[in-house]
Amino acid sequence: MKAALVGTDGTLLHEARRATNRERGADAVVETILAFAADLRAHGEKHLGESAVAAGVAVPGIVDAEKGIAVYAANLGWRDVPLRALLGERLGVPVALGHDVRTGGLAEGRIGAGRGSDRFLFVPLGTGIAGAIGIAGAIEAGAHGDAGEIGHIVVRPDGPDCSCGQRGCLETLASAAAVTRAWAAASGDPAADAADCAKAVESGDPAAVRVWQDAVDALAAGLVTALTLLDPGTLIIGGGLAEAGETLFTPLRAAVEERITFQKLPHIVPAALGDTAGCLGAGLLAWDLLSTEVSA
């Protein structure tokens, strides 16, 4: 778990991390979060001279932000956890709850790589592939809270089975996990991962180049579908795979440009905030909550 005290201008005033220790069970994880938040508040009072005035929390899985409920998170064993109410009771301040990817996307769009862009799409490439749709400084969650799930666009109908029940989803072909699987098989080294593949590409290994280009082609196909639907001004790529830098971005920009016809090519840029995006986004959610209460 990553947490921070965030100033009005988005400055990280204090950062901290703790293990989730999810093996202790779902209820224990919730208690750890509540205690972590209380400790952060106490740190602010002692070292910064004032208490936090609101809190934001970003969690994985299915989130009902309006009701403040963490509906489902497989990795944490959560079902219908009223996290906003629990945190509010513990802290005594207003609490905003958000989805981790959309919250990170909010930060990247508003104060990170998408700063100044009215329409952006944030796509982190990690174990899976998700997305956050930015419109006028806010993130569009969709009618059911599922907007932006670009990882489950089918790009190759005859492709690998996906855990969602479809075949050939983007994340089965272009996520960091997919590249790791493909490169481990191609290299014959079961311990090889996506970062190793990127290094092999940089050294000119033809097998690595094939694996990499296959992932880039699939990613470009999925992104062009998203561009056609959303027409963003900026496309922000983050996650582990983006750490390859121009080894990813040079062929990706070329592959997207090759596929578009009438669509306008957006700026395709790397994420700027790294793993602080979630903390900053949670802080923005909290400040937005206060702004809403003031205007109301």
Side-chain angles (χ1 to χ4, degrees):
M1 296 186 294
K2 296 182 287 287
L5 293 170
V6 183
T8 53
D9 59 353
T11 302
L12 288 175
L13 304 173
H14 171 70
E15 293 180 75
R17 297 178 185 237
R18 284 187 189 174
T20 309
N21 292 327
R22 63 187 182 188
E23 69 279 358
R24 295 176 303 138
D27 291 342
V29 173
V30 171
E31 180 52 40
T32 298
I33 292 171
L34 300 179
F36 197 3
D39 288 348
L40 273 177
R41 180 187 59 186
H43 180 94
E45 291 171 344
K46 180 177 180 180
H47 298 282
L48 300 175
E50 59 183 320
S51 179
V53 291
V57 58
V59 299
I62 300 171
V63 178
D64 186 332
E66 191 173 324
K67 294 181 180 177
I69 296 172
V71 178
Y72 177 69
N75 290 338
L76 298 174
W78 284 359
R79 284 190 182 276
D80 298 322
V81 178
L83 200 54
R84 185 175 66 195
L86 292 171
L87 268 171
E89 184 179 328
R90 180 69 65 96
L91 299 176
V93 299
V95 176
L97 177 69
H99 181 271
D100 57 351
V101 171
R102 288 196 287 270
T103 302
L106 176 67
E108 281 290 353
R110 199 182 292 180
I111 60 176
R115 185 196 294 263
S117 180
D118 191 51
R119 299 286 192 279
F120 68 87
L121 176 62
F122 170 59
V123 181
L125 310 173
T127 303
I129 296 178
I133 302 165
I135 302 173
I139 300 298
E140 172 55 51
H144 308 96
D146 296 327
E149 290 292 347
I150 185 177
H152 297 288
I153 290 176
V154 175
V155 292
R156 292 181 189 159
D158 58 347
D161 290 336
C162 181
S163 59
C164 79
Q166 300 186 111
R167 292 188 64 186
C169 286
L170 181 59
E171 73 173 39
T172 69
L173 298 159
S175 62
V179 174
T180 292
R181 286 192 299 270
W183 180 232
S187 66
D189 179 2
D193 62 13
D196 296 323
C197 185
K199 291 174 186 172
V201 169
E202 291 161 11
S203 67
D205 185 309
V209 170
R210 283 193 297 273
V211 167
W212 196 257
Q213 193 60 50
D214 191 51
V216 167
D217 287 344
L219 180 57
L223 291 176
V224 168
T225 297
L227 301 184
T228 305
L229 289 170
L230 302 172
D231 187 27
T234 304
L235 176 56
I236 307 165
I237 307 294
L241 218 56
E243 293 175 8
E246 287 306 311
T247 301
L248 173 67
F249 284 91
T250 296
L252 179 60
R253 290 186 185 109
V256 170
E257 188 168 7
E258 183 182 290
R259 283 167 172 77
I260 62 172
T261 52
F262 66 89
Q263 303 94 334
K264 295 294 188 290
L265 186 67
H267 298 292
I268 301 176
V269 298
L273 302 176
D275 69 356
T276 65
C279 288
L280 287 166
L284 291 172
L285 286 179
W287 286 117
D288 286 354
L289 187 63
L290 289 176
S291 300
T292 301
E293 289 188 348
V294 169
S295 62

